[in-house]
Amino acid sequence: MDDITITSNAGGYGGAAVAAALDVAGSRFEGNSATYGGAVASVLTTTVSSSWFVDNEAVAQGGAAHVMCFFAPAEFTDCHFVGNTAVSGLG
């Protein structure tokens, strides 16, 4: 996903996007909500660059992102996280 804006979506995992492997560049996720990963959720290799995560909310964990990659890398480069929250766990 490159150069997209996703706002005001909701889901169980990843309010804006959920994928096994996630590759995002130059995108904006704002005002999304989910149980896990207010904006995005993934389970394998996760690469996000030059993106904004603004005012996303998770009921459980990962206000901006929930990455469950026990055996794969997760990398966020030149990203901005503003006002993301999680009721329990990390924002």
Coordinates of all heavy atoms in Angstrom, one line a residue:
M1 N 0.8 -1.2 0.0 CA 0.0 0.0 0.0 C 0.9 1.2 0.0 O 1.6 1.5 0.9 CB -0.9 0.0 1.2 CG -1.9 -1.1 1.3 SD -3.1 -1.0 2.7 CE -2.0 -1.1 4.1
D2 N 0.8 2.0 -1.0 CA 1.6 3.2 -1.1 C 0.8 4.4 -1.4 O -0.2 4.3 -2.2 CB 2.7 3.1 -2.3 CG 3.7 2.0 -2.0 OD1 3.8 1.6 -0.9 OD2 4.4 1.6 -3.0
D3 N 1.1 5.5 -0.7 CA 0.4 6.8 -0.9 C -1.1 6.7 -0.8 O -1.8 7.2 -1.7 CB 0.9 7.4 -2.3 CG 2.4 7.5 -2.4 OD1 3.0 8.0 -1.4 OD2 2.9 7.1 -3.4
I4 N -1.6 6.1 0.3 CA -3.0 6.1 0.5 C -3.4 6.8 1.8 O -2.5 6.9 2.7 CB -3.5 4.6 0.5 CG1 -2.9 3.8 1.7 CG2 -3.3 4.0 -0.8 CD1 -3.5 2.5 2.0
T5 N -4.6 7.1 2.0 CA -5.1 7.6 3.2 C -6.4 6.8 3.6 O -7.3 6.7 2.8 CB -5.5 9.1 3.1 OG1 -4.3 9.9 2.8 CG2 -6.1 9.7 4.4
I6 N -6.4 6.3 4.8 CA -7.5 5.5 5.3 C -8.0 6.1 6.6 O -7.2 6.3 7.5 CB -7.2 4.0 5.5 CG1 -6.8 3.4 4.1 CG2 -8.4 3.3 6.0 CD1 -6.4 2.0 4.2
T7 N -9.2 6.6 6.7 CA -9.8 7.2 7.9 C -11.1 6.6 8.3 O -11.8 6.1 7.5 CB -10.0 8.7 7.6 OG1 -10.9 8.9 6.6 CG2 -8.7 9.4 7.3
S8 N -11.3 6.6 9.6 CA -12.6 6.3 10.2 C -13.1 4.9 9.9 O -14.3 4.7 9.6 CB -13.6 7.4 9.8 OG -13.2 8.6 10.2
N9 N -12.2 3.9 9.8 CA -12.7 2.5 9.6 C -12.6 1.8 11.0 O -11.9 2.2 11.9 CB -11.8 1.8 8.6 CG -12.1 2.3 7.2 OD1 -13.2 2.1 6.7 ND2 -11.2 3.0 6.6
A10 N -13.2 0.6 11.0 CA -13.2 -0.2 12.3 C -13.1 -1.7 11.9 O -13.6 -2.1 10.8 CB -14.4 0.1 13.1
G11 N -12.5 -2.4 12.8 CA -12.4 -3.9 12.6 C -11.9 -4.6 13.8 O -11.6 -3.9 14.8
G12 N -11.9 -5.9 13.8 CA -11.4 -6.7 15.0 C -9.9 -6.6 15.1 O -9.3 -6.4 16.1
Y13 N -9.2 -6.8 14.0 CA -7.8 -6.7 13.9 C -7.5 -5.7 12.8 O -7.9 -5.8 11.6 CB -7.1 -8.0 13.5 CG -7.0 -9.0 14.6 CD1 -8.1 -9.8 14.9 CD2 -5.9 -9.0 15.4 CE1 -8.0 -10.7 16.0 CE2 -5.8 -9.9 16.5 CZ -6.8 -10.8 16.8 OH -6.7 -11.6 17.8
G14 N -6.8 -4.6 13.1 CA -6.4 -3.6 12.1 C -7.7 -2.9 11.6 O -8.3 -3.3 10.6
G15 N -8.0 -1.7 12.2 CA -9.1 -1.0 11.7 C -9.1 -0.5 10.3 O -10.1 -0.5 9.6
A16 N -7.9 -0.2 9.8 CA -7.7 0.2 8.4 C -7.3 -0.9 7.5 O -7.7 -1.1 6.4 CB -6.8 1.4 8.3
A17 N -6.3 -1.8 8.0 CA -5.8 -2.9 7.2 C -5.3 -4.0 8.1 O -4.7 -3.8 9.1 CB -4.6 -2.3 6.3
V18 N -5.5 -5.2 7.6 CA -5.0 -6.4 8.2 C -4.4 -7.3 7.1 O -5.0 -7.5 6.1 CB -6.0 -7.2 9.1 CG1 -7.2 -7.6 8.3 CG2 -5.4 -8.3 9.9
A19 N -3.2 -7.8 7.4 CA -2.6 -8.6 6.3 C -1.6 -9.6 7.0 O -1.0 -9.3 8.1 CB -1.8 -7.8 5.3
A20 N -1.3 -10.7 6.3 CA -0.2 -11.6 6.8 C 1.1 -10.9 6.8 O 1.8 -10.8 7.8 CB -0.2 -12.9 6.0
A21 N 1.5 -10.3 5.7 CA 2.7 -9.5 5.5 C 2.2 -8.1 5.1 O 1.3 -8.0 4.3 CB 3.6 -10.1 4.5
L22 N 2.9 -7.1 5.6 CA 2.4 -5.7 5.4 C 3.6 -4.9 4.9 O 4.6 -4.9 5.5 CB 1.8 -5.1 6.7 CG 1.1 -3.8 6.6 CD1 -0.2 -4.0 5.7 CD2 0.7 -3.4 8.0
D23 N 3.4 -4.2 3.8 CA 4.4 -3.3 3.2 C 3.7 -2.0 2.8 O 2.8 -1.9 2.0 CB 5.0 -3.9 2.0 CG 6.2 -3.1 1.4 OD1 6.6 -2.1 2.1 OD2 6.8 -3.5 0.4
V24 N 4.0 -0.9 3.6 CA 3.3 0.4 3.4 C 4.4 1.5 3.3 O 5.4 1.5 4.0 CB 2.5 0.7 4.7 CG1 1.8 2.1 4.6 CG2 1.4 -0.4 4.9
A25 N 4.1 2.5 2.4 CA 5.0 3.6 2.2 C 4.1 4.9 1.9 O 3.2 4.8 1.2 CB 6.0 3.4 1.1
G26 N 4.5 6.0 2.5 CA 3.9 7.3 2.3 C 2.4 7.3 2.5 O 1.7 8.0 1.7
S27 N 1.9 6.7 3.5 CA 0.5 6.6 3.7 C 0.1 7.3 5.1 O 0.9 7.6 5.9 CB 0.0 5.2 3.7 OG 0.3 4.6 2.4
R28 N -1.2 7.5 5.2 CA -1.8 8.1 6.4 C -2.9 7.3 6.9 O -3.8 6.9 6.2 CB -2.2 9.5 6.2 CG -2.7 10.3 7.4 CD -3.1 11.7 7.0 NE -3.4 12.5 8.2 CZ -2.6 13.2 8.9 NH1 -1.3 13.3 8.5 NH2 -3.0 13.9 9.9
F29 N -2.9 6.9 8.2 CA -4.0 6.2 8.9 C -4.5 7.1 10.0 O -3.8 7.4 10.9 CB -3.5 4.9 9.4 CG -2.9 4.0 8.4 CD1 -1.5 4.0 8.1 CD2 -3.7 3.2 7.6 CE1 -1.0 3.2 7.1 CE2 -3.1 2.4 6.6 CZ -1.8 2.4 6.4
E30 N -5.8 7.5 9.9 CA -6.3 8.4 10.9 C -7.7 8.1 11.4 O -8.6 7.8 10.5 CB -6.3 9.9 10.3 CG -6.7 10.9 11.3 CD -6.4 12.3 10.8 OE1 -5.8 12.5 9.7 OE2 -6.8 13.3 11.5
G31 N -7.9 8.1 12.7 CA -9.2 7.9 13.3 C -9.8 6.5 13.1 O -11.0 6.3 13.1
N32 N -9.0 5.5 12.9 CA -9.4 4.1 12.8 C -9.5 3.4 14.2 O -8.8 3.9 15.1 CB -8.5 3.4 11.9 CG -8.4 4.0 10.5 OD1 -9.4 4.0 9.7 ND2 -7.3 4.7 10.2
S33 N -10.2 2.4 14.3 CA -10.3 1.7 15.5 C -10.5 0.2 15.3 O -11.0 -0.3 14.3 CB -11.5 2.2 16.4 OG -12.7 1.9 15.7
A34 N -10.0 -0.6 16.3 CA -10.0 -2.1 16.3 C -9.8 -2.6 17.7 O -9.3 -1.9 18.6 CB -9.0 -2.6 15.3
T35 N -10.0 -3.9 17.9 CA -9.7 -4.5 19.1 C -8.2 -4.6 19.3 O -7.6 -4.2 20.3 CB -10.3 -5.9 19.2 OG1 -11.7 -5.8 19.1 CG2 -10.0 -6.5 20.6
Y36 N -7.5 -5.0 18.2 CA -6.0 -5.1 18.2 C -5.5 -4.3 16.9 O -6.0 -4.6 15.8 CB -5.5 -6.5 18.0 CG -5.9 -7.4 19.2 CD1 -7.0 -8.1 19.3 CD2 -5.0 -7.4 20.3 CE1 -7.3 -8.9 20.4 CE2 -5.3 -8.2 21.4 CZ -6.4 -8.9 21.5 OH -6.7 -9.7 22.6
G37 N -4.7 -3.3 17.2 CA -4.1 -2.6 16.0 C -5.1 -1.6 15.5 O -5.8 -1.9 14.5
G38 N -5.2 -0.4 16.1 CA -6.2 0.6 15.7 C -6.2 0.9 14.2 O -7.2 1.0 13.6
A39 N -5.0 1.0 13.7 CA -4.8 1.3 12.2 C -4.5 0.0 11.4 O -5.2 -0.3 10.5 CB -3.7 2.3 12.0
V40 N -3.4 -0.7 11.8 CA -3.0 -1.9 11.1 C -2.7 -3.1 12.0 O -2.3 -2.9 13.1 CB -1.8 -1.6 10.2 CG1 -2.2 -0.5 9.1 CG2 -0.6 -1.1 11.0
A41 N -2.8 -4.3 11.4 CA -2.4 -5.5 12.1 C -1.7 -6.4 11.1 O -2.2 -6.5 10.0 CB -3.5 -6.1 12.8
S42 N -0.7 -7.1 11.6 CA 0.0 -8.1 10.7 C 0.6 -9.2 11.5 O 0.8 -9.0 12.7 CB 1.0 -7.4 9.8 OG 2.1 -6.9 10.6
V43 N 1.0 -10.3 10.9 CA 1.6 -11.4 11.6 C 2.9 -11.9 11.0 O 3.6 -12.6 11.6 CB 0.6 -12.7 11.6 CG1 -0.6 -12.4 12.4 CG2 0.3 -13.1 10.2
L44 N 3.3 -11.4 9.9 CA 4.6 -11.7 9.3 C 5.4 -10.5 9.1 O 5.2 -9.5 9.8 CB 4.4 -12.5 8.0 CG 3.7 -13.8 8.1 CD1 3.5 -14.4 6.7 CD2 4.6 -14.8 8.9
T45 N 6.3 -10.5 8.1 CA 7.2 -9.3 7.9 C 6.4 -8.0 7.7 O 5.4 -8.0 6.9 CB 8.1 -9.6 6.6 OG1 8.8 -10.7 6.8 CG2 9.0 -8.4 6.4
T46 N 6.8 -7.0 8.5 CA 6.0 -5.7 8.4 C 7.1 -4.6 8.1 O 8.0 -4.5 8.9 CB 5.3 -5.5 9.8 OG1 4.4 -6.6 10.0 CG2 4.6 -4.2 9.8
T47 N 6.8 -3.9 7.1 CA 7.7 -2.8 6.7 C 6.8 -1.6 6.4 O 6.0 -1.6 5.5 CB 8.5 -3.1 5.4 OG1 9.2 -4.3 5.6 CG2 9.5 -2.0 5.1
V48 N 7.0 -0.5 7.2 CA 6.3 0.7 7.0 C 7.3 1.9 7.0 O 8.1 2.0 7.9 CB 5.3 0.9 8.2 CG1 4.4 2.2 8.0 CG2 4.4 -0.3 8.4
S49 N 7.1 2.7 6.0 CA 8.0 3.9 5.9 C 7.3 5.2 5.5 O 6.2 5.1 4.9 CB 9.1 3.6 4.9 OG 8.5 3.5 3.6
S50 N 7.8 6.3 6.0 CA 7.3 7.6 5.7 C 5.7 7.7 5.8 O 5.1 8.2 4.9 CB 7.7 8.0 4.3 OG 9.1 8.0 4.2
S51 N 5.2 7.2 6.9 CA 3.7 7.2 7.1 C 3.3 7.8 8.4 O 4.1 7.9 9.3 CB 3.2 5.7 7.0 OG 3.5 5.2 5.7
W52 N 2.1 8.2 8.5 CA 1.5 8.9 9.7 C 0.4 8.0 10.2 O -0.4 7.4 9.5 CB 0.9 10.2 9.3 CG 1.9 11.3 9.1 CD1 2.6 11.5 7.9 CD2 2.3 12.3 10.0 NE1 3.5 12.6 8.1 CE2 3.2 13.1 9.3 CE3 1.9 12.6 11.2 CZ2 3.8 14.2 9.9 CZ3 2.5 13.7 11.8 CH2 3.4 14.5 11.2
F53 N 0.4 7.9 11.6 CA -0.6 7.2 12.3 C -1.1 8.2 13.3 O -0.5 8.6 14.3 CB 0.0 6.0 13.1 CG 0.5 4.9 12.2 CD1 1.8 5.0 11.6 CD2 -0.3 3.8 11.9 CE1 2.2 4.0 10.8 CE2 0.2 2.8 11.0 CZ 1.4 2.9 10.5
V54 N -2.4 8.6 13.1 CA -2.9 9.8 13.9 C -4.3 9.4 14.5 O -5.2 9.0 13.8 CB -3.1 11.0 13.0 CG1 -3.7 12.2 13.8 CG2 -1.8 11.4 12.4
D55 N -4.4 9.5 15.8 CA -5.7 9.3 16.5 C -6.4 8.0 16.3 O -7.6 7.9 16.1 CB -6.6 10.5 16.3 CG -6.1 11.8 16.8 OD1 -5.3 11.8 17.7 OD2 -6.4 12.8 16.2
N56 N -5.6 6.9 16.2 CA -6.2 5.6 16.0 C -6.3 5.0 17.4 O -5.6 5.4 18.4 CB -5.3 4.7 15.2 CG -5.1 5.3 13.8 OD1 -6.0 5.2 13.0 ND2 -3.9 5.8 13.5
E57 N -7.3 4.0 17.6 CA -7.6 3.5 18.9 C -7.8 2.0 18.9 O -8.4 1.5 18.0 CB -8.8 4.2 19.5 CG -9.2 3.6 20.8 CD -10.5 4.3 21.4 OE1 -11.3 4.8 20.6 OE2 -10.7 4.2 22.6
A58 N -7.2 1.3 19.9 CA -7.4 -0.1 20.0 C -8.0 -0.4 21.4 O -7.6 0.2 22.4 CB -6.1 -0.9 19.9
V59 N -9.0 -1.3 21.4 CA -9.6 -1.6 22.7 C -8.6 -2.5 23.5 O -8.6 -2.3 24.7 CB -10.9 -2.4 22.4 CG1 -11.5 -2.9 23.7 CG2 -11.9 -1.6 21.7
A60 N -7.8 -3.3 22.9 CA -6.9 -4.1 23.6 C -5.5 -3.6 23.5 O -5.0 -2.8 24.3 CB -6.9 -5.6 23.2
Q61 N -4.8 -3.9 22.4 CA -3.4 -3.6 22.3 C -3.1 -2.9 20.9 O -3.7 -3.2 19.9 CB -2.5 -4.8 22.5 CG -2.6 -5.5 23.8 CD -1.8 -6.7 23.9 OE1 -1.4 -7.3 22.9 NE2 -1.6 -7.2 25.1
G62 N -2.1 -2.1 20.9 CA -1.6 -1.5 19.7 C -2.4 -0.4 19.1 O -3.1 -0.6 18.2
G63 N -2.4 0.8 19.8 CA -3.2 1.9 19.3 C -3.0 2.2 17.8 O -4.0 2.4 17.1
A64 N -1.8 2.2 17.4 CA -1.5 2.5 15.9 C -1.3 1.2 15.2 O -1.9 1.0 14.1 CB -0.2 3.3 15.8
A65 N -0.6 0.2 15.7 CA -0.3 -1.0 15.0 C -0.1 -2.2 16.0 O 0.4 -2.0 17.1 CB 1.0 -0.9 14.2
H66 N -0.6 -3.3 15.6 CA -0.4 -4.6 16.3 C 0.3 -5.6 15.4 O -0.2 -6.0 14.4 CB -1.8 -5.1 16.7 CG -1.7 -6.3 17.7 ND1 -1.2 -6.2 18.9 CD2 -2.0 -7.6 17.5 CE1 -1.2 -7.4 19.5 NE2 -1.7 -8.3 18.6
V67 N 1.6 -5.8 15.7 CA 2.4 -6.7 14.9 C 2.7 -7.9 15.7 O 3.4 -7.9 16.7 CB 3.7 -6.0 14.5 CG1 4.6 -6.9 13.6 CG2 3.4 -4.7 13.8
M68 N 2.3 -9.1 15.2 CA 2.5 -10.3 15.9 C 3.5 -11.2 15.2 O 3.2 -12.3 14.8 CB 1.1 -11.1 16.0 CG 0.1 -10.2 16.7 SD -1.6 -10.9 16.4 CE -1.9 -10.3 14.7
C69 N 4.7 -10.7 14.9 CA 5.7 -11.4 14.1 C 6.7 -11.9 15.0 O 7.8 -11.3 15.2 CB 6.2 -10.5 13.0 SG 6.9 -8.9 13.6
F70 N 6.5 -13.1 15.5 CA 7.5 -13.7 16.4 C 8.8 -14.1 15.7 O 9.8 -14.1 16.3 CB 6.8 -15.0 17.1 CG 5.6 -14.6 17.9 CD1 4.4 -15.0 17.5 CD2 5.7 -13.9 19.1 CE1 3.2 -14.6 18.2 CE2 4.6 -13.6 19.8 CZ 3.4 -13.9 19.4
F71 N 8.6 -14.5 14.4 CA 9.8 -15.0 13.7 C 10.1 -14.2 12.5 O 10.9 -14.6 11.6 CB 9.6 -16.5 13.3 CG 9.3 -17.3 14.5 CD1 8.0 -17.8 14.7 CD2 10.3 -17.7 15.4 CE1 7.7 -18.6 15.8 CE2 10.0 -18.5 16.5 CZ 8.8 -18.9 16.7
A72 N 9.5 -13.0 12.3 CA 9.7 -12.2 11.1 C 10.0 -10.8 11.6 O 9.5 -10.3 12.7 CB 8.5 -12.2 10.2
P73 N 10.7 -10.0 10.8 CA 11.1 -8.6 11.2 C 9.9 -7.6 11.1 O 9.1 -7.8 10.2 CB 12.2 -8.3 10.3 CG 12.0 -9.1 9.1 CD 11.4 -10.4 9.6
A74 N 10.0 -6.6 11.9 CA 9.0 -5.5 11.8 C 9.9 -4.2 11.8 O 10.7 -4.0 12.7 CB 8.0 -5.5 13.0
E75 N 9.6 -3.4 10.8 CA 10.4 -2.2 10.7 C 9.6 -1.0 10.4 O 8.8 -1.0 9.4 CB 11.5 -2.3 9.7 CG 12.4 -1.2 9.5 CD 13.5 -1.4 8.5 OE1 13.8 -2.6 8.1 OE2 14.2 -0.4 8.1
F76 N 9.6 0.1 11.2 CA 8.9 1.3 11.0 C 10.0 2.4 10.8 O 10.8 2.7 11.8 CB 8.0 1.7 12.2 CG 6.8 0.8 12.3 CD1 6.9 -0.5 12.8 CD2 5.6 1.2 11.8 CE1 5.8 -1.3 12.9 CE2 4.5 0.4 11.9 CZ 4.6 -0.9 12.5
T77 N 10.1 3.0 9.7 CA 11.1 4.0 9.4 C 10.5 5.3 9.0 O 9.6 5.4 8.1 CB 12.0 3.5 8.2 OG1 12.5 2.2 8.5 CG2 13.2 4.4 8.0
D78 N 11.0 6.4 9.6 CA 10.5 7.7 9.3 C 9.0 7.8 9.4 O 8.3 8.4 8.6 CB 11.0 8.2 7.9 CG 10.8 9.7 7.7 OD1 10.8 10.5 8.7 OD2 10.6 10.1 6.5
C79 N 8.4 7.2 10.4 CA 7.0 7.3 10.7 C 6.7 8.2 11.8 O 7.5 8.5 12.7 CB 6.5 5.9 11.0 SG 6.5 4.7 9.6
H80 N 5.5 8.7 11.8 CA 5.0 9.7 12.8 C 3.8 9.1 13.5 O 2.8 8.6 12.9 CB 4.6 11.0 12.2 CG 5.8 11.6 11.5 ND1 6.7 12.4 12.0 CD2 6.1 11.5 10.1 CE1 7.6 12.7 11.1 NE2 7.3 12.2 10.0
F81 N 3.8 9.0 14.9 CA 2.7 8.5 15.7 C 2.2 9.6 16.6 O 2.9 10.1 17.4 CB 3.3 7.3 16.5 CG 3.8 6.2 15.7 CD1 5.1 6.1 15.3 CD2 2.9 5.1 15.3 CE1 5.6 5.1 14.5 CE2 3.4 4.1 14.5 CZ 4.7 4.1 14.1
V82 N 1.0 10.0 16.4 CA 0.4 11.1 17.1 C -1.0 10.7 17.7 O -1.9 10.4 16.9 CB 0.2 12.3 16.2 CG1 -0.4 13.5 16.9 CG2 1.6 12.7 15.6
G83 N -1.1 10.8 19.0 CA -2.4 10.6 19.6 C -3.1 9.3 19.5 O -4.3 9.1 19.6
N84 N -2.3 8.2 19.3 CA -2.8 6.9 19.2 C -3.0 6.3 20.6 O -2.2 6.6 21.5 CB -1.9 6.0 18.4 CG -1.8 6.5 17.0 OD1 -2.7 6.4 16.2 ND2 -0.6 7.0 16.7
T85 N -4.1 5.5 20.9 CA -4.3 5.0 22.2 C -4.7 3.6 22.2 O -5.3 3.1 21.2 CB -5.4 5.9 22.9 OG1 -6.6 5.8 22.2 CG2 -5.0 7.3 23.1
A86 N -4.5 2.9 23.3 CA -5.0 1.6 23.5 C -5.5 1.5 25.0 O -4.8 2.0 25.9 CB -3.8 0.5 23.3
V87 N -6.6 0.9 25.2 CA -7.2 0.8 26.5 C -6.3 -0.1 27.4 O -6.1 0.3 28.5 CB -8.6 0.2 26.4 CG1 -9.2 0.0 27.8 CG2 -9.5 1.2 25.6
S88 N -5.8 -1.2 26.9 CA -4.9 -2.0 27.7 C -3.7 -2.3 26.7 O -3.9 -2.5 25.5 CB -5.5 -3.3 28.2 OG -5.8 -4.2 27.1
G89 N -2.5 -2.4 27.2 CA -1.4 -2.6 26.3 C -0.8 -1.2 25.8 O -1.1 -0.2 26.4
L90 N 0.0 -1.3 24.8 CA 0.7 -0.1 24.4 C -0.1 0.7 23.3 O -0.8 0.1 22.5 CB 2.0 -0.5 23.8 CG 2.9 -1.3 24.7 CD1 4.2 -1.8 24.0 CD2 3.3 -0.4 25.9
G91 N 0.0 2.0 23.3 CA -0.7 2.9 22.4 C 0.1 2.9 21.1 O -0.4 3.2 20.1

